[in-house]
């Protein structure tokens, strides 16, 4: 059987989040947001996280310009939000107008209804193959009451109930 990396990684469950940033145009803030499942905790001291984007991503270019990003870690009820920001830019822009987002106090990036959130300042980025890993320092964060997470597995969104063992 012949498998590639994508086939294998489809078997690894990940959380789902929406990442936001913005650029300034004629004294007006233009937000951008995309769905990702590549969030990783890198360090607790200092608090660092990483995300990966395609090198040719317009979102990545805007993030480099702003130097800040917000992360909304979606709970099981966030599938609609995840799908809204997993589309092409015109559809994501429409979702930005329709979905309620709140500007974070530390960065001004949009944060959406989610199980948890972080605001980050760009610390570094590393080109790795056809992607770039972005490392951010967490400058603001919070969590709501515990709720089941939204999971990405086998190319689709899934929910499961948390169970104490």
């Amino acid at each position: 059987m012949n498998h590639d990396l994508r086939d294998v990684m489809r078997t690894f469950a990940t959380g789902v989040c929406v990442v936001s940033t913005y650029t300034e145009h004629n004294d007006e803030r233009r937000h951008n947001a995309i769905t990702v499942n590549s969030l990783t905790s890198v360090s607790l001291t200092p608090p660092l996280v990483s995300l990966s984007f395609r090198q040719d991503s317009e979102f990545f270019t805007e993030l480099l310009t702003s130097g800040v990003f917000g992360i909304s870690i979606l709970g099981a009820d966030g599938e609609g939000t995840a799908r809204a920001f997993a589309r092409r830019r015109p559809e994501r822009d429409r979702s930005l107008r329709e979905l309620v987002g709140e500007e974070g106090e530390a960065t001004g990036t949009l944060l959406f209804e989610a199980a948890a959130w972080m605001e980050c300042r760009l610390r570094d980025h590393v080109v790795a193959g056809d992607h770039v890993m972005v490392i951010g320092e967490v400058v603001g964060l919070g969590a709501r009451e515990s709720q089941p997470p939204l999971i990405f597995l086998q190319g689709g969104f899934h929910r499961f109930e948390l169970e104490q063992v």
Side-chain angles (χ1 to χ4, degrees), residues 31-58:
H31 291 277
N32 193 354
I34 61 170
T35 300
V36 300
N37 68 331
S38 61
L39 175 64
T40 303
S41 174
V42 174
S43 168
L44 295 177
T45 307
L48 302 174
V49 296
S50 72
L51 297 161
S52 294
F53 304 99
R54 286 189 341 263
Q55 277 190 51
D56 63 354
S57 164
E58 178 184 6

PDB file of all heavy atoms in Angstrom, residues 31-58:
ATOM      1  N   HIS A  31      -9.623  43.281   8.941  1.00  0.00           N
ATOM      2  CA  HIS A  31      -9.360  42.003   9.600  1.00  0.00           C
ATOM      3  C   HIS A  31      -9.323  40.857   8.596  1.00  0.00           C
ATOM      4  O   HIS A  31      -9.929  40.930   7.531  1.00  0.00           O
ATOM      5  CB  HIS A  31     -10.429  41.723  10.653  1.00  0.00           C
ATOM      6  CG  HIS A  31     -10.350  42.646  11.822  1.00  0.00           C
ATOM      7  ND1 HIS A  31      -9.488  42.450  12.865  1.00  0.00           N
ATOM      8  CD2 HIS A  31     -11.022  43.786  12.105  1.00  0.00           C
ATOM      9  CE1 HIS A  31      -9.632  43.419  13.751  1.00  0.00           C
ATOM     10  NE2 HIS A  31     -10.559  44.252  13.309  1.00  0.00           N
ATOM     11  N   ASN A  32      -8.620  39.811   8.968  1.00  0.00           N
ATOM     12  CA  ASN A  32      -8.574  38.578   8.202  1.00  0.00           C
ATOM     13  C   ASN A  32      -8.575  37.447   9.227  1.00  0.00           C
ATOM     14  O   ASN A  32      -8.025  37.589  10.315  1.00  0.00           O
ATOM     15  CB  ASN A  32      -7.318  38.528   7.325  1.00  0.00           C
ATOM     16  CG  ASN A  32      -7.368  37.417   6.288  1.00  0.00           C
ATOM     17  OD1 ASN A  32      -8.283  36.598   6.266  1.00  0.00           O
ATOM     18  ND2 ASN A  32      -6.371  37.394   5.422  1.00  0.00           N
ATOM     19  N   ALA A  33      -9.202  36.335   8.894  1.00  0.00           N
ATOM     20  CA  ALA A  33      -9.244  35.188   9.798  1.00  0.00           C
ATOM     21  C   ALA A  33      -9.304  33.907   8.980  1.00  0.00           C
ATOM     22  O   ALA A  33      -9.930  33.878   7.917  1.00  0.00           O
ATOM     23  CB  ALA A  33     -10.455  35.281  10.726  1.00  0.00           C
ATOM     24  N   ILE A  34      -8.625  32.876   9.487  1.00  0.00           N
ATOM     25  CA  ILE A  34      -8.636  31.575   8.817  1.00  0.00           C
ATOM     26  C   ILE A  34      -8.699  30.460   9.861  1.00  0.00           C
ATOM     27  O   ILE A  34      -8.291  30.636  11.001  1.00  0.00           O
ATOM     28  CB  ILE A  34      -7.407  31.357   7.909  1.00  0.00           C
ATOM     29  CG1 ILE A  34      -6.118  31.397   8.707  1.00  0.00           C
ATOM     30  CG2 ILE A  34      -7.365  32.363   6.787  1.00  0.00           C
ATOM     31  CD1 ILE A  34      -4.901  30.956   7.915  1.00  0.00           C
ATOM     32  N   THR A  35      -9.207  29.323   9.419  1.00  0.00           N
ATOM     33  CA  THR A  35      -9.266  28.132  10.266  1.00  0.00           C
ATOM     34  C   THR A  35      -7.957  27.370  10.136  1.00  0.00           C
ATOM     35  O   THR A  35      -7.456  27.177   9.028  1.00  0.00           O
ATOM     36  CB  THR A  35     -10.445  27.238   9.831  1.00  0.00           C
ATOM     37  OG1 THR A  35     -11.647  27.999   9.965  1.00  0.00           O
ATOM     38  CG2 THR A  35     -10.530  25.979  10.666  1.00  0.00           C
ATOM     39  N   VAL A  36      -7.409  26.943  11.267  1.00  0.00           N
ATOM     40  CA  VAL A  36      -6.182  26.137  11.272  1.00  0.00           C
ATOM     41  C   VAL A  36      -6.313  25.015  12.300  1.00  0.00           C
ATOM     42  O   VAL A  36      -7.117  25.090  13.219  1.00  0.00           O
ATOM     43  CB  VAL A  36      -4.916  26.975  11.571  1.00  0.00           C
ATOM     44  CG1 VAL A  36      -4.717  28.068  10.555  1.00  0.00           C
ATOM     45  CG2 VAL A  36      -4.946  27.531  12.963  1.00  0.00           C
ATOM     46  N   ASN A  37      -5.507  23.988  12.114  1.00  0.00           N
ATOM     47  CA  ASN A  37      -5.450  22.909  13.098  1.00  0.00           C
ATOM     48  C   ASN A  37      -4.005  22.587  13.449  1.00  0.00           C
ATOM     49  O   ASN A  37      -3.698  21.503  13.913  1.00  0.00           O
ATOM     50  CB  ASN A  37      -6.200  21.663  12.601  1.00  0.00           C
ATOM     51  CG  ASN A  37      -5.521  21.007  11.428  1.00  0.00           C
ATOM     52  OD1 ASN A  37      -4.853  21.663  10.649  1.00  0.00           O
ATOM     53  ND2 ASN A  37      -5.699  19.706  11.292  1.00  0.00           N
ATOM     54  N   SER A  38      -3.110  23.557  13.275  1.00  0.00           N
ATOM     55  CA  SER A  38      -1.686  23.321  13.521  1.00  0.00           C
ATOM     56  C   SER A  38      -1.171  23.992  14.784  1.00  0.00           C
ATOM     57  O   SER A  38       0.027  24.187  14.931  1.00  0.00           O
ATOM     58  CB  SER A  38      -0.878  23.822  12.316  1.00  0.00           C
ATOM     59  OG  SER A  38      -1.075  25.218  12.137  1.00  0.00           O
ATOM     60  N   LEU A  39      -2.044  24.341  15.705  1.00  0.00           N
ATOM     61  CA  LEU A  39      -1.625  25.008  16.937  1.00  0.00           C
ATOM     62  C   LEU A  39      -0.832  24.059  17.829  1.00  0.00           C
ATOM     63  O   LEU A  39      -1.241  22.931  18.077  1.00  0.00           O
ATOM     64  CB  LEU A  39      -2.858  25.509  17.702  1.00  0.00           C
ATOM     65  CG  LEU A  39      -2.607  26.130  19.072  1.00  0.00           C
ATOM     66  CD1 LEU A  39      -1.773  27.403  18.945  1.00  0.00           C
ATOM     67  CD2 LEU A  39      -3.931  26.418  19.749  1.00  0.00           C
ATOM     68  N   THR A  40       0.309  24.552  18.310  1.00  0.00           N
ATOM     69  CA  THR A  40       1.159  23.767  19.206  1.00  0.00           C
ATOM     70  C   THR A  40       1.698  24.657  20.308  1.00  0.00           C
ATOM     71  O   THR A  40       2.124  25.782  20.044  1.00  0.00           O
ATOM     72  CB  THR A  40       2.362  23.164  18.433  1.00  0.00           C
ATOM     73  OG1 THR A  40       1.876  22.377  17.356  1.00  0.00           O
ATOM     74  CG2 THR A  40       3.219  22.306  19.331  1.00  0.00           C
ATOM     75  N   SER A  41       1.700  24.154  21.523  1.00  0.00           N
ATOM     76  CA  SER A  41       2.359  24.844  22.620  1.00  0.00           C
ATOM     77  C   SER A  41       3.858  24.583  22.492  1.00  0.00           C
ATOM     78  O   SER A  41       4.287  23.441  22.341  1.00  0.00           O
ATOM     79  CB  SER A  41       1.841  24.295  23.953  1.00  0.00           C
ATOM     80  OG  SER A  41       2.570  24.858  25.022  1.00  0.00           O
ATOM     81  N   VAL A  42       4.652  25.654  22.530  1.00  0.00           N
ATOM     82  CA  VAL A  42       6.098  25.527  22.351  1.00  0.00           C
ATOM     83  C   VAL A  42       6.837  25.664  23.674  1.00  0.00           C
ATOM     84  O   VAL A  42       7.765  24.924  23.955  1.00  0.00           O
ATOM     85  CB  VAL A  42       6.606  26.587  21.334  1.00  0.00           C
ATOM     86  CG1 VAL A  42       8.115  26.574  21.234  1.00  0.00           C
ATOM     87  CG2 VAL A  42       5.968  26.366  19.975  1.00  0.00           C
ATOM     88  N   SER A  43       6.435  26.643  24.498  1.00  0.00           N
ATOM     89  CA  SER A  43       7.162  26.935  25.737  1.00  0.00           C
ATOM     90  C   SER A  43       6.202  27.550  26.750  1.00  0.00           C
ATOM     91  O   SER A  43       5.318  28.323  26.376  1.00  0.00           O
ATOM     92  CB  SER A  43       8.302  27.912  25.435  1.00  0.00           C
ATOM     93  OG  SER A  43       8.872  28.435  26.616  1.00  0.00           O
ATOM     94  N   LEU A  44       6.409  27.221  28.021  1.00  0.00           N
ATOM     95  CA  LEU A  44       5.610  27.848  29.078  1.00  0.00           C
ATOM     96  C   LEU A  44       6.280  29.110  29.603  1.00  0.00           C
ATOM     97  O   LEU A  44       5.616  30.033  30.038  1.00  0.00           O
ATOM     98  CB  LEU A  44       5.383  26.856  30.223  1.00  0.00           C
ATOM     99  CG  LEU A  44       4.550  25.631  29.864  1.00  0.00           C
ATOM    100  CD1 LEU A  44       4.447  24.686  31.061  1.00  0.00           C
ATOM    101  CD2 LEU A  44       3.174  26.027  29.367  1.00  0.00           C
ATOM    102  N   THR A  45       7.628  29.144  29.591  1.00  0.00           N
ATOM    103  CA  THR A  45       8.367  30.314  30.062  1.00  0.00           C
ATOM    104  C   THR A  45       9.453  30.648  29.061  1.00  0.00           C
ATOM    105  O   THR A  45      10.457  29.943  29.006  1.00  0.00           O
ATOM    106  CB  THR A  45       9.010  30.037  31.445  1.00  0.00           C
ATOM    107  OG1 THR A  45       7.997  29.567  32.334  1.00  0.00           O
ATOM    108  CG2 THR A  45       9.654  31.273  32.003  1.00  0.00           C
ATOM    109  N   PRO A  46       9.273  31.655  28.229  1.00  0.00           N
ATOM    110  CA  PRO A  46       8.077  32.486  28.108  1.00  0.00           C
ATOM    111  C   PRO A  46       6.964  31.697  27.415  1.00  0.00           C
ATOM    112  O   PRO A  46       7.239  30.695  26.744  1.00  0.00           O
ATOM    113  CB  PRO A  46       8.550  33.664  27.246  1.00  0.00           C
ATOM    114  CG  PRO A  46       9.603  33.076  26.374  1.00  0.00           C
ATOM    115  CD  PRO A  46      10.303  32.045  27.244  1.00  0.00           C
ATOM    116  N   PRO A  47       5.734  32.167  27.533  1.00  0.00           N
ATOM    117  CA  PRO A  47       4.624  31.450  26.902  1.00  0.00           C
ATOM    118  C   PRO A  47       4.653  31.630  25.374  1.00  0.00           C
ATOM    119  O   PRO A  47       4.422  32.729  24.873  1.00  0.00           O
ATOM    120  CB  PRO A  47       3.381  32.095  27.519  1.00  0.00           C
ATOM    121  CG  PRO A  47       3.836  33.462  27.941  1.00  0.00           C
ATOM    122  CD  PRO A  47       5.288  33.333  28.283  1.00  0.00           C
ATOM    123  N   LEU A  48       4.968  30.547  24.673  1.00  0.00           N
ATOM    124  CA  LEU A  48       5.078  30.578  23.215  1.00  0.00           C
ATOM    125  C   LEU A  48       4.213  29.491  22.596  1.00  0.00           C
ATOM    126  O   LEU A  48       4.122  28.381  23.129  1.00  0.00           O
ATOM    127  CB  LEU A  48       6.528  30.352  22.768  1.00  0.00           C
ATOM    128  CG  LEU A  48       7.593  31.307  23.282  1.00  0.00           C
ATOM    129  CD1 LEU A  48       8.981  30.835  22.844  1.00  0.00           C
ATOM    130  CD2 LEU A  48       7.326  32.720  22.796  1.00  0.00           C
ATOM    131  N   VAL A  49       3.595  29.817  21.466  1.00  0.00           N
ATOM    132  CA  VAL A  49       2.835  28.851  20.677  1.00  0.00           C
ATOM    133  C   VAL A  49       3.287  28.962  19.225  1.00  0.00           C
ATOM    134  O   VAL A  49       3.876  29.960  18.819  1.00  0.00           O
ATOM    135  CB  VAL A  49       1.310  29.079  20.772  1.00  0.00           C
ATOM    136  CG1 VAL A  49       0.822  28.850  22.201  1.00  0.00           C
ATOM    137  CG2 VAL A  49       0.919  30.450  20.278  1.00  0.00           C
ATOM    138  N   SER A  50       2.987  27.925  18.444  1.00  0.00           N
ATOM    139  CA  SER A  50       3.309  27.976  17.019  1.00  0.00           C
ATOM    140  C   SER A  50       2.107  27.576  16.184  1.00  0.00           C
ATOM    141  O   SER A  50       1.216  26.858  16.646  1.00  0.00           O
ATOM    142  CB  SER A  50       4.499  27.066  16.690  1.00  0.00           C
ATOM    143  OG  SER A  50       4.120  25.705  16.756  1.00  0.00           O
ATOM    144  N   LEU A  51       2.097  28.076  14.951  1.00  0.00           N
ATOM    145  CA  LEU A  51       1.103  27.756  13.935  1.00  0.00           C
ATOM    146  C   LEU A  51       1.841  27.606  12.616  1.00  0.00           C
ATOM    147  O   LEU A  51       2.915  28.189  12.440  1.00  0.00           O
ATOM    148  CB  LEU A  51       0.088  28.891  13.786  1.00  0.00           C
ATOM    149  CG  LEU A  51      -0.780  29.213  14.982  1.00  0.00           C
ATOM    150  CD1 LEU A  51      -1.372  30.603  14.846  1.00  0.00           C
ATOM    151  CD2 LEU A  51      -1.880  28.182  15.113  1.00  0.00           C
ATOM    152  N   SER A  52       1.270  26.876  11.689  1.00  0.00           N
ATOM    153  CA  SER A  52       1.889  26.738  10.371  1.00  0.00           C
ATOM    154  C   SER A  52       0.932  27.207   9.287  1.00  0.00           C
ATOM    155  O   SER A  52      -0.274  26.962   9.363  1.00  0.00           O
ATOM    156  CB  SER A  52       2.273  25.282  10.109  1.00  0.00           C
ATOM    157  OG  SER A  52       3.288  24.883  10.998  1.00  0.00           O
ATOM    158  N   PHE A  53       1.508  27.880   8.293  1.00  0.00           N
ATOM    159  CA  PHE A  53       0.753  28.397   7.150  1.00  0.00           C
ATOM    160  C   PHE A  53       1.517  28.076   5.864  1.00  0.00           C
ATOM    161  O   PHE A  53       2.739  27.944   5.888  1.00  0.00           O
ATOM    162  CB  PHE A  53       0.604  29.925   7.234  1.00  0.00           C
ATOM    163  CG  PHE A  53      -0.026  30.400   8.502  1.00  0.00           C
ATOM    164  CD1 PHE A  53       0.755  30.869   9.545  1.00  0.00           C
ATOM    165  CD2 PHE A  53      -1.402  30.386   8.657  1.00  0.00           C
ATOM    166  CE1 PHE A  53       0.170  31.307  10.721  1.00  0.00           C
ATOM    167  CE2 PHE A  53      -1.989  30.821   9.820  1.00  0.00           C
ATOM    168  CZ  PHE A  53      -1.204  31.285  10.854  1.00  0.00           C
ATOM    169  N   ARG A  54       0.803  27.992   4.758  1.00  0.00           N
ATOM    170  CA  ARG A  54       1.482  27.890   3.464  1.00  0.00           C
ATOM    171  C   ARG A  54       2.331  29.140   3.270  1.00  0.00           C
ATOM    172  O   ARG A  54       1.922  30.247   3.634  1.00  0.00           O
ATOM    173  CB  ARG A  54       0.467  27.784   2.326  1.00  0.00           C
ATOM    174  CG  ARG A  54      -0.217  26.454   2.206  1.00  0.00           C
ATOM    175  CD  ARG A  54      -1.056  26.349   0.921  1.00  0.00           C
ATOM    176  NE  ARG A  54      -1.402  27.602   0.302  1.00  0.00           N
ATOM    177  CZ  ARG A  54      -2.570  28.242   0.465  1.00  0.00           C
ATOM    178  NH1 ARG A  54      -3.493  27.731   1.247  1.00  0.00           N
ATOM    179  NH2 ARG A  54      -2.798  29.382  -0.133  1.00  0.00           N
ATOM    180  N   GLN A  55       3.505  28.979   2.667  1.00  0.00           N
ATOM    181  CA  GLN A  55       4.387  30.130   2.438  1.00  0.00           C
ATOM    182  C   GLN A  55       3.734  31.205   1.594  1.00  0.00           C
ATOM    183  O   GLN A  55       3.979  32.389   1.795  1.00  0.00           O
ATOM    184  CB  GLN A  55       5.675  29.677   1.744  1.00  0.00           C
ATOM    185  CG  GLN A  55       6.715  29.141   2.671  1.00  0.00           C
ATOM    186  CD  GLN A  55       8.015  28.968   1.937  1.00  0.00           C
ATOM    187  OE1 GLN A  55       8.492  29.881   1.275  1.00  0.00           O
ATOM    188  NE2 GLN A  55       8.593  27.789   2.044  1.00  0.00           N
ATOM    189  N   ASP A  56       2.892  30.805   0.636  1.00  0.00           N
ATOM    190  CA  ASP A  56       2.277  31.771  -0.263  1.00  0.00           C
ATOM    191  C   ASP A  56       0.956  32.318   0.274  1.00  0.00           C
ATOM    192  O   ASP A  56       0.218  32.994  -0.432  1.00  0.00           O
ATOM    193  CB  ASP A  56       2.066  31.158  -1.650  1.00  0.00           C
ATOM    194  CG  ASP A  56       1.112  29.968  -1.639  1.00  0.00           C
ATOM    195  OD1 ASP A  56       0.691  29.516  -0.542  1.00  0.00           O
ATOM    196  OD2 ASP A  56       0.790  29.469  -2.730  1.00  0.00           O
ATOM    197  N   SER A  57       0.671  32.082   1.538  1.00  0.00           N
ATOM    198  CA  SER A  57      -0.580  32.498   2.143  1.00  0.00           C
ATOM    199  C   SER A  57      -0.652  34.019   2.296  1.00  0.00           C
ATOM    200  O   SER A  57       0.226  34.651   2.871  1.00  0.00           O
ATOM    201  CB  SER A  57      -0.714  31.837   3.522  1.00  0.00           C
ATOM    202  OG  SER A  57      -1.696  32.464   4.299  1.00  0.00           O
ATOM    203  N   GLU A  58      -1.740  34.599   1.806  1.00  0.00           N
ATOM    204  CA  GLU A  58      -1.988  36.023   1.990  1.00  0.00           C
ATOM    205  C   GLU A  58      -2.132  36.338   3.482  1.00  0.00           C
ATOM    206  O   GLU A  58      -1.689  37.383   3.954  1.00  0.00           O
ATOM    207  CB  GLU A  58      -3.260  36.427   1.237  1.00  0.00           C
ATOM    208  CG  GLU A  58      -3.637  37.878   1.397  1.00  0.00           C
ATOM    209  CD  GLU A  58      -4.953  38.210   0.716  1.00  0.00           C
ATOM    210  OE1 GLU A  58      -5.637  37.299   0.216  1.00  0.00           O
ATOM    211  OE2 GLU A  58      -5.300  39.408   0.705  1.00  0.00           O
TER     212      GLU A  58
END
